[in-house]
Amino acid sequence: MDQTLVSDASFSSSPILETLGEEILRILYPVSFCMFLVVLLVSALISSDNSSMSFSSIASIAYSESSSDSFWSKLSGAFLNSLLFIAVITILTFFLVLLFYLRCTPCLKSYMAFSSFVVLSFLGGEISLLLLSRFVVPIDAFSFLLLLFNFSVVGTLSVFLAKAPISLTQGYLVIIGVLVAYWFTLLPEWTTWALLISMALYDLAAVLLPVGPLRLLVELAISRDEEIPALVYEARPVDTQASGRRLWRERRNFEGNPGSVSDTLRHENLTPQTTMTITVEASDEDSASTELVAPLVSQQPRRQEIEAVEGIGLGSSGAIKLGLGDFIFYSVLVGRAALYDFMTVYACYLAIVAGLGVTLLLLAFYRKALPALPVSIAFGVLFYVLTRELLEVFVVQCSVNLLISGERKRAR
């Protein structure tokens, strides 16, 4: 058999570096809006009188924090709570990998849709009741339930079960992040900080370690060329039907067995933006010939098509994707800072944005799925401590000195 392979490859620089500013803004806007809404909810619903309110969840089942507990009791109890939470998350993620490996994708999508409906209906309904009570908005029970049901169903369908405008899907993803993040801010203070640090470390291990569950899930999806059923925010609209998958257009004009050329389709290590023409000629006795034209519309080799789950990565079209868990924990950090003062909120917000920018810059160079929590959470926690312990003391002292100086001038 005579095979002729013609390849015309064009090499180009990373498109992410060329549009890094635009990509940062497209991720920064929804992240900032999510954090802003959480701060508004915390400011409106959690006053100074009930700032210590909490609720029972799996993140606080091992230790219930009390203000009378000692420092070491709070520290050890918060560590125990976070360790238990991480263990549960790890087990569930490996179970998710197992289901995806067994091709139970409909079950995963159904579970994700049900989870979204529960968040929108129950958590959203309770927060709506708190807001209605806080601002004394009159509404009857039937109208409230009808609106809540429609809101939840439309959100579930737009995210998972039906094709909807990209702006509607993105909006509901942000709303889900806001609802979950608000309830996480009700956790005890020490448990919240321990949970944030633990989740950042877990994200680092789960995405980068060879046996990390998120890395296994991403690699499995890439090897199968499938989408991962997960709550993921995509920076810009992408047509899933033409999302950069490798498309083979086959033209046959022969009377022989077409299966003789099936082996020529297995070319994995191809360069970006390559147009490949494969001409296969049969033996002298046969007059059959086959020409395969394989435009590689993806800007990355197939092994580098990245899907983000609980990290930040590139979709097959080059669009940046951010896991909804990152939205949630960014907002939890800012919401916890809002329980203290707004100066701390500003410092934590700037730290998170700086960490997100560093992560996006690393993504532009490494072009692989990266954990989005570690850098931002590390900056946020550091700036929270520095602002609360140093900057606030400095600003208050300066303000007091200015007031004293002004009073002295008036007295003269």
Side-chain angles (χ1 to χ4, degrees), residues 2 6 70 87-88 109 187 198 286 288 306 308 313 334 356 389 403 408:
D2 179 29
V6 180
S70 63
V88 173
K109 289 184 177 181
L187 291 172
S198 300
D286 300 329
I306 306 301
V334 177
L356 187 59
E389 300 298 331
L403 289 175
R408 287 178 178 176

Side-chain angles (χ1 to χ4, degrees), residues 37-58:
L37 291 180
V38 172
V39 170
L40 287 183
L41 287 177
V42 169
S43 303
L45 301 180
I46 305 179
S47 62
S48 59
D49 298 331
N50 59 353
S51 60
S52 60
M53 65 178 294
S54 61
F55 71 105
S56 298
S57 69
I58 194 173

Side-chain angles (χ1 to χ4, degrees), residues 198-240:
S198 300
M199 283 301 301
L201 296 176
Y202 165 79
D203 197 29
L204 190 67
V207 175
L208 297 183
L209 288 181
V211 294
L214 298 181
R215 180 168 180 174
L216 294 176
L217 189 62
V218 169
E219 291 180 349
L220 183 60
I222 294 173
S223 64
R224 294 179 177 178
D225 201 18
E226 296 179 0
E227 296 287 343
I228 301 175
L231 292 170
V232 177
Y233 185 96
E234 193 162 355
R236 62 172 179 260
V238 174
D239 183 8
T240 57

Side-chain angles (χ1 to χ4, degrees), residues 155-361:
T156 303
L157 293 177
S158 64
V159 172
F160 277 106
L161 303 179
K163 290 185 177 181
I166 188 66
S167 57
L168 183 63
T169 302
Q170 291 175 340
Y172 268 103
L173 287 173
V174 172
I175 291 175
I176 292 174
V178 170
L179 296 177
V180 177
Y182 171 77
W183 288 108
F184 268 103
T185 59
L186 300 180
L187 291 172
E189 182 178 10
W190 284 77
T191 299
T192 302
W193 293 114
L195 186 62
L196 287 173
I197 297 174
S198 300
M199 283 301 301
L201 296 176
Y202 165 79
D203 197 29
L204 190 67
V207 175
L208 297 183
L209 288 181
V211 294
L214 298 181
R215 180 168 180 174
L216 294 176
L217 189 62
V218 169
E219 291 180 349
L220 183 60
I222 294 173
S223 64
R224 294 179 177 178
D225 201 18
E226 296 179 0
E227 296 287 343
I228 301 175
L231 292 170
V232 177
Y233 185 96
E234 193 162 355
R236 62 172 179 260
V238 174
D239 183 8
T240 57
Q241 298 299 326
S243 60
R245 306 291 183 189
R246 180 168 300 164
L247 302 178
W248 293 89
R249 291 187 293 109
E250 182 177 2
R251 296 200 305 265
R252 291 187 177 93
N253 185 18
F254 65 101
E255 297 177 356
N257 185 9
S260 60
V261 297
S262 61
D263 293 337
T264 63
L265 301 181
R266 300 188 179 95
H267 297 277
E268 294 296 337
N269 300 322
L270 300 177
T271 55
Q273 297 180 355
T274 302
T275 301
M276 178 180 296
T277 303
I278 304 174
T279 303
V280 181
E281 295 182 0
S283 58
D284 295 336
E285 291 79 11
D286 300 329
S287 60
S289 64
T290 302
E291 182 181 4
L292 301 178
V293 179
L296 302 186
V297 297
S298 176
Q299 295 180 351
Q300 286 293 313
R302 183 176 180 181
R303 290 290 176 184
Q304 294 182 1
E305 291 178 1
I306 306 301
E307 299 290 343
V309 182
E310 287 299 328
I312 187 167
L314 292 178
S316 54
S317 65
I320 292 182
K321 293 183 177 183
L322 185 65
L324 197 62
D326 303 315
F327 280 75
I328 293 172
F329 290 105
Y330 292 162
S331 302
V332 169
L333 196 154
V334 177
R336 172 53 61 175
L339 293 175
Y340 189 68
D341 63 7
F342 283 101
M343 183 171 61
T344 311
V345 172
Y346 301 145
C348 291
Y349 170 75
L350 293 177
I352 290 174
V353 170
L356 187 59
V358 171
T359 307
L360 286 171
L361 189 60

